[in-house]
């Protein structure tokens, strides 16, 4: 149970840090709730009345703050004013697609648009595959992914199309249609979820540094892969349903 309590403390400390920083408040609210869930387990297991009382007070405090943050975030979303920015430092870790995007993927999601000019080389296509795996793994109503990217040079575009086609074939097994469009003028890097969330990434999906070899820590687990420096901006557009993929 000591491990559970330590995990709760770690989550709640992170929540407080984000809360005090005034950024990523949606994530802070989620961390508060996750930490409280663990504290409840600790409280139920404890036989010390004093400790139980202390934990009960902390649980009430953190739950109240989580509800306040969720209300604030929802109000901002309703007004179309929500904006969150994540700055990823050079060589930092802990920024897998799951860590960055999972909280924006919910059961209302049916369509995703990805605009990224650099889904061309092998590692960039693997990045897109990892992103698709995250979408499939979450419990959503996802039916369609639209990828808008640029065509590789003359010597590589056949391989690019073949690999993206293989991803599309695999997605079909999960009831998801992958549509691919190529643009020679595309510069923006943006992901649009039709549940309202819009994510702009300075480097697009290509945020990870290359590993020295396939047996380096971080090759498989992107949370352990060092990143390039970039900025992630997150917005919410009210009533976007039907916009992505329309």
């Amino acid at each position: 149970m000591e491990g559970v309590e330590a995990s709760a403390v770690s989550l709640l400390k992170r929540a407080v840090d984000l809360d005090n920083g005034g950024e990523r408040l949606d994530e802070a609210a989620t961390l508060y709730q996750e930490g409280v869930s663990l504290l409840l387990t600790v409280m139920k297991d404890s036989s010390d009345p004093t400790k139980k009382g202390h934990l009960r007070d902390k649980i009430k405090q953190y739950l109240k703050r989580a509800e306040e943050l969720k209300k604030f975030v929802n109000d901002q979303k309703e007004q179309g004013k929500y904006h969150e920015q994540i700055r990823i430092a050079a060589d930092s870790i802990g920024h897998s697609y799951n860590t960055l995007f999972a909280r924006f993927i919910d059961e209302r999601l049916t369509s995703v648009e990805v605009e990224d000019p650099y889904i061309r080389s092998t590692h960039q296509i693997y990045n897109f595959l990892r992103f698709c795996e995250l979408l499939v793994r979450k419990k959503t109503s996802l039916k369609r992914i639209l990828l808008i990217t640029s065509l590789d040079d003359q010597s590589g575009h056949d391989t690019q199309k073949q690999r993206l086609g293989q991803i599309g074939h695999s997605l079909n097994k999960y009831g998801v249609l992958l549509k691919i469009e190529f643009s020679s003028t595309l510069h923006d890097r943006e992901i649009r979820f039709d549940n309202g969330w819009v994510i702009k990434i300075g480097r697009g999906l290509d945020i990870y540094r290359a590993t020295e070899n396939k047996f380096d820590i971080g090759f498989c687990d992107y949370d352990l892969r060092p990143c390039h420096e970039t900025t992630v901006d997150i917005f919410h557009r009210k009533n976007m349903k039907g916009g992505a993929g329309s």
Side-chain angles (χ1 to χ4, degrees), residues 82-86 88 97-105 112-116 131 134-135 188-193 195-205 207 231-237 240:
Y82 186 87
H83 175 217
E84 175 181 320
Q85 187 173 84
I86 302 171
I88 298 177
Y97 297 143
N98 183 71
T99 300
L100 290 172
F101 306 136
R103 58 199 167 99
F104 306 112
I105 302 170
V112 177
E113 292 182 358
V114 179
E115 287 189 2
D116 190 329
F131 178 68
L134 171 63
L135 293 174
D188 291 340
R189 297 166 175 85
E190 183 172 291
I191 299 171
R192 295 184 291 273
F193 296 147
N195 58 9
W197 292 107
V198 180
I199 301 168
K200 296 177 180 286
I201 313 172
R203 292 185 56 93
L205 291 174
I207 65 175
T231 301
V232 181
D233 286 286
I234 301 158
F235 306 87
H236 190 276
R237 295 175 182 168
M240 191 179 173

Side-chain angles (χ1 to χ4, degrees), residues 105 109-116 119 127-138 140-149 164 167-181 190-194 205 244-246:
I105 302 170
L109 185 67
T110 66
S111 180
V112 177
E113 292 182 358
V114 179
E115 287 189 2
D116 190 329
I119 308 295
N127 286 340
F128 179 66
L129 174 60
R130 290 289 182 90
F131 178 68
C132 290
E133 288 174 338
L134 171 63
L135 293 174
V136 168
R137 189 166 65 246
K138 301 292 288 185
T140 70
S141 300
L142 184 66
K143 298 298 181 185
R144 183 175 183 270
I145 300 172
L146 170 62
L147 171 65
I148 306 174
T149 190
L164 290 174
I167 294 176
H169 178 72
S170 184
L171 283 168
N172 282 337
K173 299 175 184 178
Y174 294 88
V176 179
L177 171 67
L178 174 62
K179 182 178 180 181
I180 302 168
E181 296 179 3
E190 183 172 291
I191 299 171
R192 295 184 291 273
F193 296 147
D194 72 342
L205 291 174
S246 60

Side-chain angles (χ1 to χ4, degrees), residues 149-239:
T149 190
S150 60
L151 198 61
D152 203 352
D153 58 40
Q154 190 65 30
S155 62
H157 69 262
D158 287 341
T159 300
Q160 177 192 17
K161 288 181 177 179
Q162 179 186 36
R163 289 170 174 170
L164 290 174
Q166 289 172 344
I167 294 176
H169 178 72
S170 184
L171 283 168
N172 282 337
K173 299 175 184 178
Y174 294 88
V176 179
L177 171 67
L178 174 62
K179 182 178 180 181
I180 302 168
E181 296 179 3
F182 295 101
S183 170
S184 60
T185 59
L186 184 64
H187 297 289
D188 291 340
R189 297 166 175 85
E190 183 172 291
I191 299 171
R192 295 184 291 273
F193 296 147
D194 72 342
N195 58 9
W197 292 107
V198 180
I199 301 168
K200 296 177 180 286
I201 313 172
R203 292 185 56 93
L205 291 174
D206 195 6
I207 65 175
Y208 305 105
R209 291 196 181 279
T211 56
E212 292 296 326
N213 61 69
K214 294 181 179 180
F215 297 97
D216 283 344
I217 295 297
F219 180 80
C220 295
D221 188 341
Y222 276 20
D223 267 321
L224 298 174
R225 178 83 69 91
C227 290
H228 295 287
E229 181 178 1
T230 194
T231 301
V232 181
D233 286 286
I234 301 158
F235 306 87
H236 190 276
R237 295 175 182 168
K238 184 183 177 184
N239 297 328

Side-chain angles (χ1 to χ4, degrees), residues 9-25:
V9 170
S10 178
L11 287 171
L12 292 167
K13 182 181 184 303
R14 178 62 175 155
V16 171
D17 288 343
L18 291 175
D19 192 354
N20 289 339
E23 297 181 351
R24 301 167 68 174
L25 297 180

